[in-house]
Amino acid sequence: MVGPSRRTRRSGAPAARLPVAAPAPSPRIELARTVGLGERLDDWGLLPTKPNWAQGFEATWTPGEAGGRDRLAAFLDGGLAGYAALRNRPDLPNVSRLSPHLHWGEISPRQIWAAVQLRIGAAAKLAKDGDKFLSEVGWREFNHHLIYHFPTMQERNWKPAFDAYPWRNDAQQLRAWQRGRTGFPIVDAGMRELWATGYMHNRVRMVVASFLVKHLRIDWREGEAWFWDTLLDADLANNVAGWQWTAGSGADAAPYFRIFNPMEQGRKFDPDGRYVRRWCPELAQLPNDLIHAPFEASPTILAAAGVELGRTYPQPIVAHAEARQAALAGYEAVKRAAAS
Ligand SMILES: Cc1cc2nc3c(=O)[nH]c(=O)nc-3n(C[C@H](O)[C@H](O)[C@H](O)COP(=O)(O)OP(=O)(O)OC[C@H]3O[C@@H](n4cnc5c(N)ncnc54)[C@H](O)[C@@H]3O)c2cc1C
């Protein structure tokens, strides 16, 4: 599938499109008479019971083709209008959450493509949002093409110069990141959302990933492995490409020196602090202007909100400005390797 391409638009060349094939009809499968007399799926004990660590997922997800179809229909009715402007807001319901269904083959990109085209055809005012949404589905296709042609990128930097990056190995900080206890609310909210639901909003994935590789200077492969273990949509191509994009080592990568400021990202994309309040309830009573940086609040404000840093909520595990400088210093090694 070829979607509207950001790449061609960026370079100024006209965007080229190939038609997207219609979804194929369901295959006719002649089941053998013996099917049904064999084992029952439930008897295989595939679902966790002692303990049922997946219990929290049940409120969020309905696995299966019907669940995927329902989610697409709900998104087309409720989330698509405004998607282009609001898809970066983790506090709003404007993304589709179709990624687990896509990953597990419960819905296909062509089905999504056809349904969105139909919707745009019926309501032209949805064209911009529909186009943006389909371009995101196009990124998924791009990543799958990428890993097909460059399978070594599962483990190796796509840009070899990044082999020179001086990663730190800090098990304690990695653990704090995994558990959502870094002291940076937007990062902690994202990591807790991931643990509780098996999903994290794309904007927040970018923020937490940037925090791991840049603020903590921990190898992107550690983050990729944690996402792989915890995401319901864990997808080799998208996960690896997402991490390498963030680290700056990928084929289509954020420049390494662009380091997300977690406080600014929070204020911009969760302006009322609703997302943080949901996942870090211990901060809920802080005013909006401080909820993304509790360490900037005065002792009086913290006390009034019932927050005791270091006890009810962690102190920041790194200082933002120093971490930023250290990350940029580490990048010098990459630049030297690229020049040699
Ligand atoms: C560090 C990192 C790791 C990631 N790991 C995964 C992963 O394991 N599995 C996964 O499916 N996605 C991954 N992504 C991409 C993206 O975050 C998710 O696809 C998206 O958040 C899924 O939510 P949605 O279905 O509500 O997205 P929507 O915004 O509704 O998008 C619709 C579909 O388009 C595709 N899509 C959207 N954004 C992207 C993107 N940036 N890259 C590729 N495809 C995209 C997905 O298939 C998604 O389901 C990762 C991104 C980052 C930054």
Side-chain angles (χ1 to χ4, degrees):
M1 179 198 300
V2 177
S5 162
R6 278 192 254 191
R7 200 163 315 280
T8 45
R9 273 189 232 145
R10 269 189 206 140
S11 65
R17 287 194 190 191
L18 296 176
V20 174
S26 304
R28 275 178 58 87
I29 302 173
E30 300 291 344
L31 293 177
R33 282 177 182 277
T34 49
V35 167
L37 299 176
E39 296 180 41
R40 291 182 336 121
L41 194 55
D42 286 347
D43 295 341
W44 285 28
L46 295 173
L47 296 174
T49 48
K50 292 178 190 157
N52 180 4
W53 49 261
Q55 204 165 18
F57 299 168
E58 287 164 15
T60 316
W61 304 105
T62 309
E65 281 186 63
R69 270 197 307 273
D70 288 351
R71 192 166 284 272
L72 174 61
F75 172 69
L76 293 177
D77 289 343
L80 182 61
Y83 177 84
L86 303 176
R87 59 179 279 272
N88 275 306
R89 293 276 302 270
D91 56 332
L92 298 177
N94 281 87
V95 288
S96 72
R97 293 173 175 257
L98 279 165
S99 49
H101 297 288
L102 270 163
H103 173 75
W104 294 104
E106 295 166 359
I107 198 160
S108 78
R110 285 180 183 169
Q111 286 173 307
I112 294 176
W113 195 278
V116 171
Q117 294 296 359
L118 205 62
R119 193 55 71 102
I120 296 174
K125 62 177 188 262
L126 287 175
K128 186 167 158 233
D129 292 320
D131 190 48
K132 184 71 191 160
F133 177 69
L134 292 179
S135 78
E136 294 305 323
V137 178
W139 278 107
R140 174 186 178 276
E141 302 307 302
F142 172 70
N143 290 340
H144 282 249
H145 281 277
L146 202 59
I147 207 149
Y148 176 80
H149 290 289
F150 303 97
T152 56
M153 71 179 283
Q154 294 174 45
E155 280 145 17
R156 304 194 60 126
N157 292 307
W158 197 81
K159 288 182 189 150
F162 272 78
D163 294 349
Y165 191 84
W167 300 113
R168 287 167 65 245
N169 187 0
D170 188 321
Q172 214 177 340
Q173 290 195 341
L174 176 62
R175 192 84 189 122
W177 177 82
Q178 291 170 337
R179 293 165 60 110
R181 299 197 54 80
T182 67
F184 290 86
I186 191 81
V187 175
D188 293 342
M191 297 308 292
R192 295 180 196 187
E193 179 188 22
L194 171 61
W195 185 252
T197 68
Y199 175 90
M200 194 193 301
H201 187 279
N202 179 59
R203 169 57 50 179
V204 192
R205 289 187 206 210
M206 293 195 286
V207 174
V208 304
S210 170
F211 186 84
L212 187 80
V213 295
K214 297 184 181 172
H215 284 74
L216 303 184
R217 284 177 287 134
I218 291 177
D219 195 318
W220 63 263
R221 282 157 279 226
E222 293 282 1
E224 194 269 341
W226 183 253
F227 271 28
W228 182 255
D229 281 349
T230 51
L231 276 171
L232 284 181
D233 65 26
D235 179 276
L236 187 65
N238 280 353
N239 201 24
V240 165
W243 278 95
Q244 293 228 36
W245 180 89
T246 310
S249 60
D252 176 87
Y256 185 85
F257 51 81
R258 194 175 294 157
I259 297 175
F260 281 134
N261 175 326
M263 290 75 76
E264 277 176 18
Q265 290 286 311
R267 288 181 189 122
K268 187 166 175 193
F269 297 112
D270 181 31
D272 307 324
R274 247 178 306 171
Y275 178 74
V276 163
R277 283 191 175 85
R278 171 155 188 221
W279 296 108
C280 303
E282 67 272 39
L283 300 176
Q285 300 307 318
L286 281 173
N288 287 353
D289 58 334
L290 289 165
I291 194 151
H292 292 292
F295 43 86
E296 289 174 3
S298 69
T300 320
I301 292 181
L302 287 174
V307 177
E308 196 181 322
L309 291 181
R311 200 179 69 80
T312 61
Y313 183 72
Q315 295 274 8
I317 59 171
V318 285
H320 167 68
E322 284 164 27
R324 187 174 184 284
Q325 282 314 317
L328 291 175
Y331 183 54
E332 290 303 315
V334 175
K335 285 207 277 192
R336 280 194 298 276
S340 64

